[in-house]
Structures are given as structure tokens and as C-alpha cells.
Amino acid sequence: MKLLAALRNTLLPLLLSSLASLALANTYEAKLPDELNTSPDLCKYAPCAEVLPGATSFSERKGQPSYVEGYVEEGGKKKLVGYVMLSTDITDTPAYSGKPVITLIGMDTAGKFVGVKILKHSEPILLLGIPESSLVRFNQQYLGQFVGNNIEIGRSRPEENIVGLDAISGATVTVISQNQVMMTSGTSIARQVGILKPTIREQAKFVQTGTKPDWATLVREGSVQRVLVTAEQAGLARSADPFIELWFGYLNQPDIGRAILGDGPYNSLMSSLKEGEQALFVIRTGGTQSFKGSGFVRGGIYDRVQVRQGGDAFTFRDTDATNLYGIAAPGAPAFTESSIFIVRSKAFSAAYPWKFVFLGNRVDRATGARSFANFDTEYWLPAQYLQGGRPQVVKPDAPWVRVWKTRAVEIALFAALLIAVATVYAFRDKLTRRATRKNKWPVNAFKYAGWIISIGFVGFGMLAQPSITQVLTWFHALLLHWQWELFLSDPFIFLFWIFIIVTVFVWGRGLFCGWLCPFGSLSELLYKVGGAVGLKRFQFQLPRHWHNRLKWVKYFVFFGLLTVSMFSMGLAEKLAEVEPFKTTFLVGLFNRSWPYTLFAAGLLGLSIFIERPFCKYLCPLGASLAMPSTFRWFGLKRKQECASCKACAVGCGSQAIDEDGRIDHRECLHCLDCMILYTDDHACPPLAQERKRRDKAGLPITPIGADGYYIPIKPVPTRAGAAAKN
């Protein structure tokens, strides 16, 4: 029997997970039943048996946050074999899309993960790029791991008791988010059922000053805090009124408690509390949502509010609440709902920071579906009310901070690359003056080096190819729910976008598009190599009238994707495959189905004969950057004769110089060939004519000024002439 039990607990989970990987069920924006989030019978709507092998029956939801117990029949009796939890009952940690990955998790009675199943995700990279099986295989790494282990993305560090998990290349943010989901869900339930013991903290010792601060003072010093949830944060239409506004504070501290309640009510409350019990008040001053919950029944749990301290969560039953009839502090706002909640656990200590959490729902504007969301505010009793002040607290690094620390060397190199390229371009005038039409190496040496590094290190190495999907994701995040932590989780893309935004408004899009875009660099390099190996006679530009028409296509593609994303982000992500970036760098040309490979390979092949065809005519990312380039601070220089002289326009690979000699900085890729001609007195027609005139007249050749012309020769009076005048 022991052997069978061992086989059941080890081989069966692996077999089920392998079958899940082979099935490759498409869970992208899967339609889930509404009852999944609300029904007491979770396992009627979720495949609980798949994540808790061996279990034959399941309980209804219990606890706060909720979970279900799984049983097996032995001798006519039910034996508890583990627990099943729905991640969104516990945490709303967003992934790259800004939406949580809804995960069903199984844990045995020893606290080991035994099953993981993704029910729904909204990750664009897992839609058409990296297969869902990669996320399935990533989740398999949790099987057999104890929930109390310190599990991180990256290499294992036994000396620090850290268990490392292999990430998914090109989906860093997704796996970091998923690790948070797994560990937060697992530890929360493990503490609730007693697998993990609560943290015992030293209780607070108060300082009494005998003062009674008014409301404004309490708020200013942090003794009273606010939880504000806007309508937009809840997924509703923008409104001047909040979704809910709550104020809360700690009552056991005598000065604060007496200020809030008054002497009589405070003394009565303290006399009713047992040793180790703590009281806090909550009032609602805005919104119509009840923080007590409309479905609350006697004997039940308040499912809208919670206190969290470290990894411990404290919930409230009806016996843990008492009425609050008024606020004694002068200047207190009017309120429409109130309560005093009692924390009856010695694991809670007011000496340490804690969070008050409002648990609500967020509406997905695209689908109308509701998902779990929590909104919290940290509270830490001000130091003047604690004997010895606040204790020293070392908070663990946020996941994004750990990523930055573990990849510090690569991040430093990448940042150095961005700074170096920007610095080189800032000194472009000096470089172009040293170059000539026949010797462009003072400029090209830096430019070609940038291409090679961006292709190898940035594109294939760091997988840091910016994409229109990021623009769409950030656009929706700004409208709905912006979280810095989400975007900081991919340091290379984050730094790249800071560079792009700054340089677009300083010089235009050309520095990124022309010097550092991995795909653009690869496309341009293929064109240069093609010319160098004897294919130059086959290389050509589209006629001007065709170019002027086709260059607008990329703008239609961009606005089309943006419009579609407002109705269906999933469809927009599919259509965003017009970018070959994912196929080329993130997934690989030979790791995708043939239509994607053929499309990307076709564009790269065409690049041998036409300079940057995708960049000029199709790239929606380029279009999104071209529009703000109109408002750049600095542009490339022009002369009066440029309106009639076509020398620069003939050699402009991006065809950004129009018939009147003007440079369209929305199309310019900053190759700097025109700037080399600008100061080349053998290639720039106005300069060449002036040079020949001076040579013929025996006049000196003066330096070329900032305006692109020779510095004028000004006659200086001789001494004899000056004396004659006198």
C-alpha cells in the first residue's frame, strides 16, 4: 500500500502534467463560468481532481481566503488528502497583460504542490509566440516543492536557501507574476490550515502623552489612513465619485483611541478586549459599496475586508465586529458606514507595519467579466506612540528588485550601450565633419557597431526587441490600471523605452529606429552586406510617387491595431503578428509554424534588395514613434540651396527628403549621410562651387561654420591705408 501511495503521489502528478502539456489546451481569454468566482461548490466548475491526484470528493469553499478540501474514501470514511485553491480567490497579481493568470493549484496535507492548471490567461506572448506548453512546463517545476521554500526565478542558491526556477525566454514578466501567484496562494492557505505556523511578533508597548489630536493631525501623522478606490480602478466608467473611500486606524494606543472614540467608549472597548486582542476602526466616507458585504449573514465572515501583516492574513467573523456610532476627533468627516473590528491573534503586532485590505471585484471592460481584486493601504503606528520608536524592519525585496539585482551586470552593459549611443549621436556634428562622401567611417564605425550589438546582444541575447504590443499594453494600462512593478519586471524593455521616449522628443525616432532597433539593424545590415557581395546592381528604391503612398500604410496598421485593441485585445495581439520581431528574436525562425517563418524570412530576404522595406512601409511601432517625432527639440540642418539641390535626396536610403529638400523627421532614420555632405566641400554643390571660386581667385579656404557655409572673408585694412585716412 505504501508503494502504491508513493506512486500515486509522485508519478501520477507528473503524468497528469505531461498530458496537460501535450493537450496544449488554448486557455487564452478562455470563457469561464461566472459561478467559478462565486459558487460555494468550486469543484463543480473547476477540474479540481486534475490538480489534486487521488481525491475523489471535495468540500465546498471554506475559509478566508477560500479553499476547498479534497478527500479519498478509505474504509468508508473520508480522509483528507489535500487542498485546492483558485488563485484569484487569494491574489489579483497582474501578469504582463495587466490581468491575472487564473490558476487552479493543488497542495497536499504536507504542504507540497501536487498540481497546477492554468484556466485562463491574457498573455500576448503566449498567444502566437511562445507556446502555452512552455508555461505548463514552467508550472511543472513547482510539483513536489514545499510551499514554505524560498522559490525565485533564476538559479538556485543553496547557501541562501533559495530554490531557483528556470524562466521562459521572452516571457520574464509572465513567469515572475506566476511565481508570485503560486507562492502567495500556497502560503496563504498553508498558514490558514496550519501547515505553516504564524509569525510570532513582539507586542507593541505604547507611549501615552495625554493629548487628543484632531482628525487633521491624525491623518497628517499617519495615525489614520485612507483606502481610495476609483471607478476606473474597479473597471467602471470614469466618475468624479469614488467607487469606495474608507478611513481606518488602530485603537489600542490610548492617545489615538481616546481621540477617535472619546474617553468613555474607549475605556469600555479596552475593558472588553482580552489580552493580545487588538481593535481598529473603519468608516466609509465615499462611494456606495459596503465594506461589510451585502451577502454577510450571522455567523459568517466579512469577505470584503482583511488585515495582512507579512505573510499572515487576519479575517473577521460577526463576533469580531462591534458598532461604531461616532468619531470624537474634531474635523472628522461624515460617514455612511462604520465598524470596529477585533484582531484575535497574537501573531498580529501593532509595532510592525500591516495592511488594511478592501477585497472587491474589477470589471473587464472588454468582456464584462468580473475578477477578484484587492486594494490595500499600509499602516504603521507613528514612532512617537511606541516605546523606543518603531522597530527595525527589513522588508524582502520586491520581485522586480530581485530581477534587477540578479541581472545587474547585463543591465549595466545595456544601460552603458544606450548612454554611449546617445552620447555619440549628440556629437554627430564633429563626426560628420571628419567624414566625407568617400570616407564615411568616422560615422559608420559607430553606427555599424550599434547595429551588430543591437542584433546580437540586445535582440538575440537579451530578447529586448521593443514591440507594438508593448505600446498597446501600456496604453490600456494607463486607461485602466497602471502598475510600475509590472513594467519594471523586465529591466531591458523598461530601460529601452525610457531611452526611446527621451530620444524621440529630443531628436526624433531615427536614433532608435536607425541605430538600435534589433530588427531594423538586421534589415539594414543585410542590405549593406548584399551590396558588398556583388548584389548592388539588383538593389533599388521604389519610385518616389509609390514611396509617398506606401509610407502611410504603417500608420493605418498602427491605428487599426489601436482601434481593434479597444474592442478585443486578443484580436489585436493576433494582428500584431504583422511585426516579425517575435518570430525573429523571441521564438526563433525555425520554432514557429511555416506562415510566420515565411513572412519574417520574406521581409529579411527583401531587405537585401530594398533598404529597410518593413521599417519604411509596414512597421506600426515606427508609426507610433513617428508622430511624436514631429515635436522633437532638435532636427538635422539644412541650407537655403537644399530646396533646389537634390544631392542629399539622391543618397537618402529612407527617402525622407522630399522634392523641396525638406527632411521629414517622421521618416528619417538618422543615417547622417546628408550631414556628411553638409560639410563636405567636394560633395555639397554650394560648398564645392564656393571652393572652386576661391581657388580660382586665389582666396583662402576658411573653415566651414555651423551654418554649413565657409566663414566669410572680411577685408582687414592695412597700416598704410589706415595712416592715409588719418
Short mmCIF file of all heavy atoms in Angstrom, two decimals, residues 535-589:
data_model
loop_
_atom_site.label_atom_id
_atom_site.label_comp_id
_atom_site.label_asym_id
_atom_site.label_seq_id
_atom_site.Cartn_x
_atom_site.Cartn_y
_atom_site.Cartn_z
N LEU A 535 25.66 42.29 -55.05
CA LEU A 535 24.24 42.38 -55.40
C LEU A 535 23.77 43.82 -55.56
O LEU A 535 22.57 44.06 -55.70
CB LEU A 535 23.39 41.68 -54.33
CG LEU A 535 23.63 40.18 -54.14
CD1 LEU A 535 22.78 39.64 -53.00
CD2 LEU A 535 23.33 39.42 -55.43
N LYS A 536 24.70 44.76 -55.55
CA LYS A 536 24.32 46.17 -55.59
C LYS A 536 23.54 46.52 -56.84
O LYS A 536 22.64 47.37 -56.82
CB LYS A 536 25.58 47.05 -55.49
CG LYS A 536 25.28 48.51 -55.16
CD LYS A 536 26.55 49.27 -54.87
CE LYS A 536 26.25 50.69 -54.39
NZ LYS A 536 25.56 50.71 -53.10
N ARG A 537 23.88 45.85 -57.96
CA ARG A 537 23.18 46.17 -59.20
C ARG A 537 21.71 45.74 -59.17
O ARG A 537 20.91 46.17 -60.01
CB ARG A 537 23.90 45.52 -60.39
CG ARG A 537 23.93 44.00 -60.36
CD ARG A 537 24.75 43.48 -61.55
NE ARG A 537 24.81 42.03 -61.63
CZ ARG A 537 25.69 41.28 -60.98
NH1 ARG A 537 26.58 41.86 -60.19
NH2 ARG A 537 25.68 39.97 -61.11
N PHE A 538 21.37 44.86 -58.22
CA PHE A 538 19.98 44.43 -58.10
C PHE A 538 19.22 45.22 -57.04
O PHE A 538 18.01 45.04 -56.88
CB PHE A 538 19.91 42.94 -57.73
CG PHE A 538 20.55 42.04 -58.74
CD1 PHE A 538 21.73 41.38 -58.45
CD2 PHE A 538 20.00 41.87 -60.01
CE1 PHE A 538 22.34 40.55 -59.37
CE2 PHE A 538 20.60 41.04 -60.94
CZ PHE A 538 21.77 40.38 -60.63
N GLN A 539 19.91 46.07 -56.32
CA GLN A 539 19.27 46.85 -55.25
C GLN A 539 18.62 48.11 -55.84
O GLN A 539 19.16 48.72 -56.76
CB GLN A 539 20.30 47.23 -54.18
CG GLN A 539 20.82 46.01 -53.42
CD GLN A 539 21.89 46.37 -52.40
OE1 GLN A 539 22.59 47.37 -52.54
NE2 GLN A 539 22.02 45.54 -51.37
N PHE A 540 17.48 48.49 -55.27
CA PHE A 540 16.73 49.61 -55.85
C PHE A 540 15.86 50.26 -54.79
O PHE A 540 15.63 49.72 -53.70
CB PHE A 540 15.86 49.12 -57.00
CG PHE A 540 14.79 48.13 -56.59
CD1 PHE A 540 13.49 48.56 -56.32
CD2 PHE A 540 15.07 46.77 -56.46
CE1 PHE A 540 12.51 47.66 -55.93
CE2 PHE A 540 14.10 45.87 -56.07
CZ PHE A 540 12.81 46.31 -55.81
N GLN A 541 15.39 51.45 -55.11
CA GLN A 541 14.39 52.16 -54.32
C GLN A 541 13.08 52.20 -55.09
O GLN A 541 13.08 52.20 -56.32
CB GLN A 541 14.83 53.60 -54.03
CG GLN A 541 15.95 53.74 -53.03
CD GLN A 541 16.24 55.20 -52.72
OE1 GLN A 541 15.84 56.10 -53.47
NE2 GLN A 541 16.93 55.46 -51.62
N LEU A 542 11.98 52.23 -54.35
CA LEU A 542 10.69 52.41 -55.01
C LEU A 542 10.61 53.81 -55.59
O LEU A 542 11.17 54.76 -55.03
CB LEU A 542 9.55 52.19 -54.02
CG LEU A 542 9.34 50.78 -53.47
CD1 LEU A 542 8.12 50.76 -52.57
CD2 LEU A 542 9.18 49.76 -54.59
N PRO A 543 9.93 53.98 -56.71
CA PRO A 543 9.75 55.34 -57.25
C PRO A 543 9.11 56.25 -56.21
O PRO A 543 8.33 55.82 -55.36
CB PRO A 543 8.82 55.11 -58.45
CG PRO A 543 9.04 53.68 -58.83
CD PRO A 543 9.32 52.95 -57.57
N ARG A 544 9.46 57.53 -56.28
CA ARG A 544 9.02 58.49 -55.28
C ARG A 544 7.50 58.50 -55.11
O ARG A 544 6.99 58.55 -53.98
CB ARG A 544 9.51 59.89 -55.66
CG ARG A 544 8.96 61.04 -54.86
CD ARG A 544 9.26 60.96 -53.37
NE ARG A 544 10.67 61.08 -53.09
CZ ARG A 544 11.17 61.15 -51.86
NH1 ARG A 544 10.35 61.11 -50.81
NH2 ARG A 544 12.48 61.24 -51.68
N HIS A 545 6.76 58.42 -56.21
CA HIS A 545 5.30 58.51 -56.08
C HIS A 545 4.74 57.28 -55.37
O HIS A 545 3.74 57.37 -54.66
CB HIS A 545 4.64 58.70 -57.46
CG HIS A 545 4.81 57.55 -58.39
ND1 HIS A 545 5.95 57.36 -59.15
CD2 HIS A 545 3.97 56.53 -58.71
CE1 HIS A 545 5.81 56.28 -59.89
NE2 HIS A 545 4.62 55.76 -59.64
N TRP A 546 5.38 56.11 -55.56
CA TRP A 546 4.94 54.91 -54.84
C TRP A 546 5.34 54.98 -53.37
O TRP A 546 4.59 54.59 -52.48
CB TRP A 546 5.50 53.65 -55.49
CG TRP A 546 4.72 53.21 -56.69
CD1 TRP A 546 5.12 53.23 -57.99
CD2 TRP A 546 3.39 52.68 -56.68
NE1 TRP A 546 4.12 52.76 -58.81
CE2 TRP A 546 3.04 52.41 -58.03
CE3 TRP A 546 2.45 52.42 -55.69
CZ2 TRP A 546 1.81 51.88 -58.39
CZ3 TRP A 546 1.21 51.89 -56.05
CH2 TRP A 546 0.91 51.63 -57.39
N HIS A 547 6.54 55.45 -53.13
CA HIS A 547 7.01 55.58 -51.75
C HIS A 547 6.10 56.52 -50.95
O HIS A 547 5.74 56.22 -49.80
CB HIS A 547 8.46 56.12 -51.73
CG HIS A 547 8.91 56.53 -50.36
ND1 HIS A 547 9.35 55.63 -49.41
CD2 HIS A 547 8.99 57.77 -49.77
CE1 HIS A 547 9.67 56.28 -48.30
NE2 HIS A 547 9.47 57.57 -48.50
N ASN A 548 5.74 57.65 -51.56
CA ASN A 548 4.90 58.62 -50.86
C ASN A 548 3.53 58.07 -50.51
O ASN A 548 2.88 58.55 -49.57
CB ASN A 548 4.75 59.89 -51.71
CG ASN A 548 6.02 60.71 -51.75
OD1 ASN A 548 6.91 60.55 -50.90
ND2 ASN A 548 6.14 61.60 -52.73
N ARG A 549 3.07 57.09 -51.27
CA ARG A 549 1.78 56.46 -50.96
C ARG A 549 1.95 55.35 -49.92
O ARG A 549 1.20 55.28 -48.94
CB ARG A 549 1.15 55.91 -52.23
CG ARG A 549 0.66 56.97 -53.21
CD ARG A 549 0.19 56.33 -54.50
NE ARG A 549 -0.44 57.29 -55.40
CZ ARG A 549 0.23 58.09 -56.22
NH1 ARG A 549 1.57 58.06 -56.24
NH2 ARG A 549 -0.41 58.93 -57.01
N LEU A 550 2.94 54.50 -50.13
CA LEU A 550 3.09 53.33 -49.27
C LEU A 550 3.57 53.65 -47.87
O LEU A 550 3.33 52.88 -46.93
CB LEU A 550 4.06 52.33 -49.93
CG LEU A 550 3.56 51.67 -51.22
CD1 LEU A 550 4.63 50.76 -51.80
CD2 LEU A 550 2.28 50.87 -50.95
N LYS A 551 4.24 54.79 -47.69
CA LYS A 551 4.74 55.11 -46.34
C LYS A 551 3.61 55.33 -45.35
O LYS A 551 3.82 55.24 -44.13
CB LYS A 551 5.65 56.34 -46.39
CG LYS A 551 4.93 57.65 -46.64
CD LYS A 551 5.90 58.82 -46.68
CE LYS A 551 5.18 60.15 -46.89
NZ LYS A 551 6.14 61.29 -46.97
N TRP A 552 2.40 55.61 -45.85
CA TRP A 552 1.27 55.82 -44.96
C TRP A 552 0.65 54.51 -44.47
O TRP A 552 -0.16 54.51 -43.54
CB TRP A 552 0.20 56.66 -45.65
CG TRP A 552 0.68 58.05 -45.98
CD1 TRP A 552 1.02 58.53 -47.20
CD2 TRP A 552 0.90 59.12 -45.05
NE1 TRP A 552 1.44 59.83 -47.11
CE2 TRP A 552 1.37 60.23 -45.80
CE3 TRP A 552 0.74 59.25 -43.67
CZ2 TRP A 552 1.69 61.44 -45.19
CZ3 TRP A 552 1.05 60.45 -43.07
CH2 TRP A 552 1.52 61.53 -43.83
N VAL A 553 1.03 53.39 -45.09
CA VAL A 553 0.44 52.10 -44.72
C VAL A 553 0.71 51.79 -43.25
O VAL A 553 -0.17 51.31 -42.53
CB VAL A 553 0.98 50.97 -45.62
CG1 VAL A 553 0.51 49.61 -45.11
CG2 VAL A 553 0.53 51.19 -47.06
N LYS A 554 1.94 52.08 -42.78
CA LYS A 554 2.27 51.74 -41.39
C LYS A 554 1.40 52.51 -40.41
O LYS A 554 1.10 52.01 -39.32
CB LYS A 554 3.76 51.99 -41.12
CG LYS A 554 4.24 53.42 -41.32
CD LYS A 554 5.75 53.49 -41.03
CE LYS A 554 6.30 54.89 -41.31
NZ LYS A 554 6.35 55.14 -42.77
N TYR A 555 0.98 53.72 -40.77
CA TYR A 555 0.11 54.48 -39.89
C TYR A 555 -1.28 53.87 -39.82
O TYR A 555 -1.91 53.83 -38.76
CB TYR A 555 0.02 55.94 -40.36
CG TYR A 555 1.33 56.68 -40.29
CD1 TYR A 555 2.16 56.77 -41.41
CD2 TYR A 555 1.76 57.26 -39.11
CE1 TYR A 555 3.38 57.44 -41.35
CE2 TYR A 555 2.97 57.94 -39.04
CZ TYR A 555 3.77 58.03 -40.17
OH TYR A 555 4.97 58.68 -40.11
N PHE A 556 -1.76 53.37 -40.96
CA PHE A 556 -3.05 52.68 -40.97
C PHE A 556 -2.97 51.40 -40.15
O PHE A 556 -3.92 51.04 -39.44
CB PHE A 556 -3.47 52.36 -42.41
CG PHE A 556 -3.97 53.56 -43.17
CD1 PHE A 556 -3.23 54.12 -44.19
CD2 PHE A 556 -5.21 54.14 -42.86
CE1 PHE A 556 -3.67 55.23 -44.89
CE2 PHE A 556 -5.67 55.24 -43.56
CZ PHE A 556 -4.90 55.79 -44.58
N VAL A 557 -1.84 50.70 -40.23
CA VAL A 557 -1.65 49.48 -39.45
C VAL A 557 -1.69 49.81 -37.96
O VAL A 557 -2.36 49.14 -37.16
CB VAL A 557 -0.33 48.78 -39.82
CG1 VAL A 557 -0.06 47.61 -38.87
CG2 VAL A 557 -0.36 48.29 -41.26
N PHE A 558 -0.98 50.87 -37.57
CA PHE A 558 -0.94 51.25 -36.15
C PHE A 558 -2.32 51.63 -35.64
O PHE A 558 -2.78 51.12 -34.60
CB PHE A 558 0.03 52.41 -35.95
CG PHE A 558 -0.09 53.06 -34.60
CD1 PHE A 558 0.26 52.37 -33.44
CD2 PHE A 558 -0.61 54.35 -34.47
CE1 PHE A 558 0.13 52.96 -32.19
CE2 PHE A 558 -0.74 54.95 -33.23
CZ PHE A 558 -0.37 54.25 -32.09
N PHE A 559 -3.01 52.52 -36.34
CA PHE A 559 -4.32 52.95 -35.87
C PHE A 559 -5.33 51.81 -35.93
O PHE A 559 -6.26 51.75 -35.12
CB PHE A 559 -4.80 54.16 -36.66
CG PHE A 559 -4.17 55.45 -36.24
CD1 PHE A 559 -3.28 56.11 -37.07
CD2 PHE A 559 -4.44 55.99 -34.99
CE1 PHE A 559 -2.68 57.29 -36.68
CE2 PHE A 559 -3.85 57.18 -34.58
CZ PHE A 559 -2.96 57.83 -35.42
N GLY A 560 -5.14 50.91 -36.90
CA GLY A 560 -6.01 49.74 -36.96
C GLY A 560 -5.85 48.86 -35.73
O GLY A 560 -6.83 48.42 -35.12
N LEU A 561 -4.59 48.61 -35.34
CA LEU A 561 -4.33 47.79 -34.15
C LEU A 561 -4.86 48.47 -32.89
O LEU A 561 -5.44 47.82 -32.02
CB LEU A 561 -2.83 47.53 -34.02
CG LEU A 561 -2.20 46.60 -35.06
CD1 LEU A 561 -0.69 46.58 -34.90
CD2 LEU A 561 -2.77 45.19 -34.93
N LEU A 562 -4.66 49.78 -32.80
CA LEU A 562 -5.12 50.51 -31.63
C LEU A 562 -6.64 50.46 -31.52
O LEU A 562 -7.20 50.25 -30.43
CB LEU A 562 -4.64 51.96 -31.70
CG LEU A 562 -4.92 52.85 -30.48
CD1 LEU A 562 -4.23 52.30 -29.25
CD2 LEU A 562 -4.48 54.28 -30.76
N THR A 563 -7.33 50.62 -32.65
CA THR A 563 -8.79 50.59 -32.65
C THR A 563 -9.31 49.20 -32.28
O THR A 563 -10.21 49.07 -31.45
CB THR A 563 -9.33 50.99 -34.03
OG1 THR A 563 -8.86 52.30 -34.37
CG2 THR A 563 -10.85 50.98 -34.03
N VAL A 564 -8.71 48.18 -32.88
CA VAL A 564 -9.14 46.81 -32.58
C VAL A 564 -8.92 46.48 -31.11
O VAL A 564 -9.75 45.81 -30.47
CB VAL A 564 -8.39 45.81 -33.49
CG1 VAL A 564 -8.64 44.37 -33.03
CG2 VAL A 564 -8.81 45.98 -34.93
N SER A 565 -7.81 46.97 -30.54
CA SER A 565 -7.50 46.67 -29.14
C SER A 565 -8.54 47.23 -28.19
O SER A 565 -8.71 46.71 -27.08
CB SER A 565 -6.11 47.21 -28.78
OG SER A 565 -6.12 48.62 -28.65
N MET A 566 -9.23 48.28 -28.59
CA MET A 566 -10.26 48.85 -27.73
C MET A 566 -11.46 47.92 -27.62
O MET A 566 -12.23 48.00 -26.66
CB MET A 566 -10.72 50.21 -28.27
CG MET A 566 -9.61 51.25 -28.40
SD MET A 566 -8.78 51.61 -26.84
CE MET A 566 -10.10 52.41 -25.94
N PHE A 567 -11.63 47.04 -28.59
CA PHE A 567 -12.75 46.09 -28.58
C PHE A 567 -12.30 44.70 -28.18
O PHE A 567 -13.01 43.99 -27.48
CB PHE A 567 -13.42 46.05 -29.96
CG PHE A 567 -13.99 47.37 -30.40
CD1 PHE A 567 -13.26 48.22 -31.21
CD2 PHE A 567 -15.25 47.77 -29.98
CE1 PHE A 567 -13.78 49.44 -31.61
CE2 PHE A 567 -15.78 48.99 -30.37
CZ PHE A 567 -15.03 49.84 -31.18
N SER A 568 -11.11 44.30 -28.64
CA SER A 568 -10.61 42.96 -28.34
C SER A 568 -9.09 42.98 -28.35
O SER A 568 -8.47 43.03 -29.41
CB SER A 568 -11.12 41.94 -29.36
OG SER A 568 -10.48 40.70 -29.18
N MET A 569 -8.51 42.96 -27.15
CA MET A 569 -7.06 42.95 -27.06
C MET A 569 -6.50 41.67 -27.66
O MET A 569 -5.42 41.66 -28.26
CB MET A 569 -6.64 43.09 -25.59
CG MET A 569 -5.17 43.37 -25.39
SD MET A 569 -4.70 44.98 -26.07
CE MET A 569 -2.95 45.00 -25.66
N GLY A 570 -7.23 40.57 -27.50
CA GLY A 570 -6.77 39.31 -28.05
C GLY A 570 -6.63 39.35 -29.56
O GLY A 570 -5.63 38.89 -30.12
N LEU A 571 -7.63 39.91 -30.24
CA LEU A 571 -7.56 40.01 -31.70
C LEU A 571 -6.44 40.96 -32.11
O LEU A 571 -5.73 40.71 -33.09
CB LEU A 571 -8.90 40.50 -32.24
CG LEU A 571 -8.99 40.70 -33.76
CD1 LEU A 571 -8.66 39.40 -34.49
CD2 LEU A 571 -10.38 41.22 -34.15
N ALA A 572 -6.28 42.04 -31.35
CA ALA A 572 -5.20 42.99 -31.67
C ALA A 572 -3.83 42.32 -31.55
O ALA A 572 -2.93 42.56 -32.36
CB ALA A 572 -5.27 44.20 -30.74
N GLU A 573 -3.67 41.46 -30.55
CA GLU A 573 -2.40 40.75 -30.38
C GLU A 573 -2.15 39.81 -31.56
O GLU A 573 -1.01 39.64 -32.01
CB GLU A 573 -2.41 39.96 -29.08
CG GLU A 573 -2.54 40.82 -27.82
CD GLU A 573 -1.31 41.66 -27.56
OE1 GLU A 573 -0.31 41.51 -28.28
OE2 GLU A 573 -1.35 42.48 -26.62
N LYS A 574 -3.20 39.20 -32.06
CA LYS A 574 -3.04 38.32 -33.22
C LYS A 574 -2.63 39.13 -34.45
O LYS A 574 -1.73 38.74 -35.20
CB LYS A 574 -4.34 37.56 -33.50
CG LYS A 574 -4.72 36.56 -32.42
CD LYS A 574 -6.05 35.89 -32.74
CE LYS A 574 -6.44 34.92 -31.64
NZ LYS A 574 -7.76 34.28 -31.90
N LEU A 575 -3.30 40.25 -34.64
CA LEU A 575 -2.99 41.08 -35.81
C LEU A 575 -1.62 41.71 -35.70
O LEU A 575 -1.01 42.07 -36.72
CB LEU A 575 -4.07 42.16 -35.97
CG LEU A 575 -5.49 41.67 -36.26
CD1 LEU A 575 -6.46 42.84 -36.28
CD2 LEU A 575 -5.53 40.92 -37.58
N ALA A 576 -1.12 41.86 -34.47
CA ALA A 576 0.21 42.45 -34.26
C ALA A 576 1.32 41.55 -34.78
O ALA A 576 2.49 41.95 -34.78
CB ALA A 576 0.42 42.76 -32.78
N GLU A 577 0.97 40.36 -35.24
CA GLU A 577 1.97 39.49 -35.86
C GLU A 577 2.46 40.06 -37.19
O GLU A 577 3.33 39.48 -37.84
CB GLU A 577 1.40 38.09 -36.08
CG GLU A 577 1.34 37.26 -34.82
CD GLU A 577 2.71 36.92 -34.26
OE1 GLU A 577 3.65 36.75 -35.05
OE2 GLU A 577 2.83 36.82 -33.03
N VAL A 578 1.90 41.20 -37.60
CA VAL A 578 2.46 41.91 -38.74
C VAL A 578 3.90 42.30 -38.44
O VAL A 578 4.71 42.50 -39.36
CB VAL A 578 1.60 43.16 -39.09
CG1 VAL A 578 1.74 44.22 -38.00
CG2 VAL A 578 1.97 43.73 -40.44
N GLU A 579 4.24 42.39 -37.15
CA GLU A 579 5.64 42.57 -36.75
C GLU A 579 6.34 41.22 -36.76
O GLU A 579 5.87 40.29 -36.09
CB GLU A 579 5.73 43.15 -35.33
CG GLU A 579 5.33 44.58 -35.18
CD GLU A 579 5.50 45.05 -33.75
OE1 GLU A 579 5.34 44.23 -32.82
OE2 GLU A 579 5.78 46.25 -33.55
N PRO A 580 7.46 41.10 -37.43
CA PRO A 580 8.19 39.81 -37.43
C PRO A 580 9.16 39.68 -36.26
O PRO A 580 9.98 38.78 -36.24
CB PRO A 580 8.95 39.87 -38.76
CG PRO A 580 9.21 41.33 -38.97
CD PRO A 580 8.05 42.06 -38.37
N PHE A 581 9.06 40.57 -35.29
CA PHE A 581 10.03 40.60 -34.19
C PHE A 581 9.98 39.33 -33.36
O PHE A 581 11.01 38.77 -32.99
CB PHE A 581 9.77 41.80 -33.27
CG PHE A 581 9.70 43.12 -33.98
CD1 PHE A 581 9.01 44.18 -33.42
CD2 PHE A 581 10.33 43.31 -35.20
CE1 PHE A 581 8.95 45.41 -34.04
CE2 PHE A 581 10.26 44.54 -35.84
CZ PHE A 581 9.56 45.58 -35.27
N LYS A 582 8.77 38.89 -33.03
CA LYS A 582 8.62 37.72 -32.18
C LYS A 582 9.20 36.48 -32.85
O LYS A 582 9.92 35.69 -32.23
CB LYS A 582 7.13 37.51 -31.88
CG LYS A 582 6.84 36.56 -30.74
CD LYS A 582 5.35 36.33 -30.60
CE LYS A 582 4.58 37.59 -30.31
NZ LYS A 582 3.13 37.34 -30.17
N THR A 583 8.91 36.33 -34.13
CA THR A 583 9.42 35.19 -34.88
C THR A 583 10.94 35.23 -34.98
O THR A 583 11.61 34.20 -34.84
CB THR A 583 8.81 35.16 -36.29
OG1 THR A 583 7.39 35.09 -36.18
CG2 THR A 583 9.31 33.97 -37.08
N THR A 584 11.49 36.42 -35.20
CA THR A 584 12.92 36.54 -35.44
C THR A 584 13.73 36.37 -34.16
O THR A 584 14.73 35.63 -34.14
CB THR A 584 13.25 37.91 -36.06
OG1 THR A 584 12.45 38.08 -37.24
CG2 THR A 584 14.72 38.01 -36.41
N PHE A 585 13.32 37.02 -33.07
CA PHE A 585 14.14 37.05 -31.86
C PHE A 585 13.58 36.24 -30.70
O PHE A 585 14.31 35.46 -30.09
CB PHE A 585 14.33 38.51 -31.41
CG PHE A 585 15.07 39.36 -32.41
CD1 PHE A 585 14.40 40.32 -33.14
CD2 PHE A 585 16.43 39.19 -32.62
CE1 PHE A 585 15.07 41.11 -34.07
CE2 PHE A 585 17.11 39.96 -33.55
CZ PHE A 585 16.42 40.93 -34.28
N LEU A 586 12.32 36.42 -30.36
CA LEU A 586 11.80 35.81 -29.15
C LEU A 586 11.61 34.30 -29.28
O LEU A 586 11.92 33.55 -28.36
CB LEU A 586 10.47 36.47 -28.76
CG LEU A 586 10.52 37.97 -28.47
CD1 LEU A 586 9.18 38.45 -27.97
CD2 LEU A 586 11.61 38.30 -27.46
N VAL A 587 11.07 33.86 -30.39
CA VAL A 587 10.78 32.44 -30.58
C VAL A 587 11.79 31.76 -31.47
O VAL A 587 12.27 30.67 -31.18
CB VAL A 587 9.35 32.26 -31.15
CG1 VAL A 587 9.02 30.79 -31.27
CG2 VAL A 587 8.34 32.97 -30.28
N GLY A 588 12.16 32.41 -32.55
CA GLY A 588 13.12 31.81 -33.49
C GLY A 588 12.45 31.45 -34.80
O GLY A 588 11.32 30.95 -34.82
N LEU A 589 13.15 31.72 -35.89
CA LEU A 589 12.57 31.47 -37.21
C LEU A 589 12.13 30.03 -37.42
O LEU A 589 11.15 29.76 -38.11
CB LEU A 589 13.60 31.85 -38.29
CG LEU A 589 13.77 33.35 -38.59
CD1 LEU A 589 14.98 33.57 -39.48
CD2 LEU A 589 12.52 33.91 -39.24
#
